[in-house]
Amino acid sequence: MLHVTFHGVRGSTPCHGHDTHHYGGNTSCVSLCADGETPIIFDLGTGLRYFGKQCNGTPSFRAVCLLTHLHYDHTLGLPFFEPLLHSDTTFEIYAPRQPDGRSIQELFMEKIRPPMFPVPLDQFAARISFHEVGDQDFSIGNLQVRSRFVPHLGPTLGFRVTHHDVSVTYLSDHQQPLGEYGITDAARELCENTDLLIHDAQFTNEEFATKASWGHSTYDYAQWVAETCGAKRLALFHHDPSRTDASLTALATAMSRTSRVPSFAAREGETVDVVTCSA
Ligand SMILES: [Zn+2]
Ligand SMILES: [Zn+2]
């Protein structure tokens, strides 16, 4: 069984207010835990801070991040991750190889240092290491990881993690085709028959009409991907920061009535236990 916890479910920028309280306002961060395995963290958005509070104090804390891309909404939480203040913490970050050859470590060091941030990244006590990945399959303990480049703005990965035949796919930022629906072979390899698909659902069809080139998907496209690829369950994710609790509930409820794949809107603080349907 895989335990998936949503720590941040928003896209683009954090938001706050009485009308976003139910789903939460932090940006992309999801943890995945399997018994006896190193915890996996999808993305380093502002939700990471809350995951850090849960882990703080764990002796010799170790975690692995699978980072989709370097946009701020996916990286802003890193310097606020409390386990990084401890010298016995080991934190490994797998991130997309950059086409210009610049290293991920160098890019983070440029962001996390004065005057943009008071403490340079290399002065944090924890051991932080970086791995650059592309279209490949690799293991973290007994977890199998598949990383594939997917359409978005700039080099962006999607991930699929499998443990004893149970799989979770994370496609937080995914550019919907501008015309007829379709899916790249790479994205299909991530989504096919997955037990839980966490997918970009930033826009309504009306919003997409004016924001088609912003790198994201509609609710309808997320549903189409889940159905086309035979996903067992769909978590709508990367909610637009302007989406209120009421409108998000209404959109998710409408979808659950029409979708062949059970779906729900991801909510901050919620844990989902994922088991394989074929077991
Ligand atoms: Zn994003
Ligand atoms: Zn992005």
Side-chain angles (χ1 to χ4, degrees):
M1 185 186 290
L2 294 171
H3 308 282
V4 173
T5 303
F6 296 97
H7 305 283
V9 297
R10 294 281 163 180
S12 307
T13 184
C15 58
H16 179 71
H18 69 279
D19 57 355
T20 55
H21 190 73
H22 179 70
Y23 290 98
N26 283 292
T27 62
S28 303
C29 181
V30 178
S31 64
L32 182 155
C33 297
D35 289 344
E37 301 297 328
T38 301
I40 302 286
I41 303 166
F42 294 117
D43 282 333
L44 303 168
T46 60
L48 181 66
R49 181 167 162 268
Y50 297 87
F51 179 63
K53 284 188 175 301
Q54 291 170 19
C55 314
N56 208 24
T58 306
S60 302
F61 177 76
R62 180 167 190 260
V64 169
C65 170
L66 299 176
L67 181 67
T68 57
H69 62 311
L70 296 171
H71 288 165
Y72 279 120
D73 53 327
H74 298 257
T75 53
L76 191 57
L78 181 62
F80 302 99
F81 188 40
E82 283 188 32
L84 298 188
L85 302 177
H86 305 296
S87 59
D88 61 349
T89 291
T90 305
F91 195 43
E92 291 182 76
I93 300 174
Y94 290 75
R97 190 172 293 121
Q98 301 298 295
D100 60 5
R102 296 183 74 192
S103 82
I104 295 291
Q105 182 167 15
E106 178 192 338
L107 290 163
F108 268 105
M109 300 234 330
E110 267 178 27
K111 272 187 181 181
I112 303 174
R113 69 170 196 187
M116 303 296 280
F117 191 78
V119 182
L121 184 63
D122 57 3
Q123 285 183 23
F124 281 74
R127 218 157 350 122
I128 308 172
S129 58
F130 295 87
H131 307 270
E132 283 149 26
V133 290
D135 293 327
Q136 61 196 82
D137 296 323
F138 53 98
S139 297
I140 296 168
N142 293 309
L143 302 168
Q144 283 81 50
V145 181
R146 173 171 292 175
S147 61
R148 295 287 184 273
F149 282 109
V150 296
H152 183 50
L153 301 176
T156 301
L157 293 170
F159 296 102
R160 177 183 180 124
V161 177
T162 305
H163 183 248
H164 297 320
D165 296 331
V166 183
S167 55
V168 171
T169 298
Y170 181 77
L171 258 174
S172 65
D173 295 50
H174 190 200
Q175 171 72 64
Q176 172 177 329
L178 301 186
E180 202 177 318
Y181 283 179
I183 184 167
T184 62
D185 290 344
R188 188 185 284 274
E189 285 178 42
L190 298 174
C191 299
E192 206 133 58
N193 300 320
T194 191
D195 293 298
L196 175 66
L197 171 60
I198 302 167
H199 196 282
D200 185 340
Q202 179 136 359
F203 296 136
T204 63
N205 292 332
E206 293 70 31
E207 291 162 349
F208 190 76
T210 56
K211 297 174 178 174
S213 61
W214 288 25
H216 295 291
S217 294
T218 59
Y219 295 86
D220 285 353
Y221 181 66
Q223 179 181 354
W224 181 88
V225 170
E227 291 181 351
T228 301
C229 295
K232 310 295 192 303
R233 208 168 170 196
L234 169 65
L236 303 165
F237 188 73
H238 206 273
H239 307 311
D240 193 88
S242 67
R243 192 83 59 226
T244 63
D245 289 334
S247 60
L248 193 40
T249 297
L251 285 159
T253 304
M255 177 178 292
S256 64
R257 289 203 192 100
T258 59
S259 178
R260 295 199 302 274
V261 177
S263 62
F264 61 97
R267 185 164 71 87
E268 200 173 307
E270 186 176 24
T271 296
V272 176
D273 293 332
V274 186
V275 292
T276 182
C277 296
S278 55

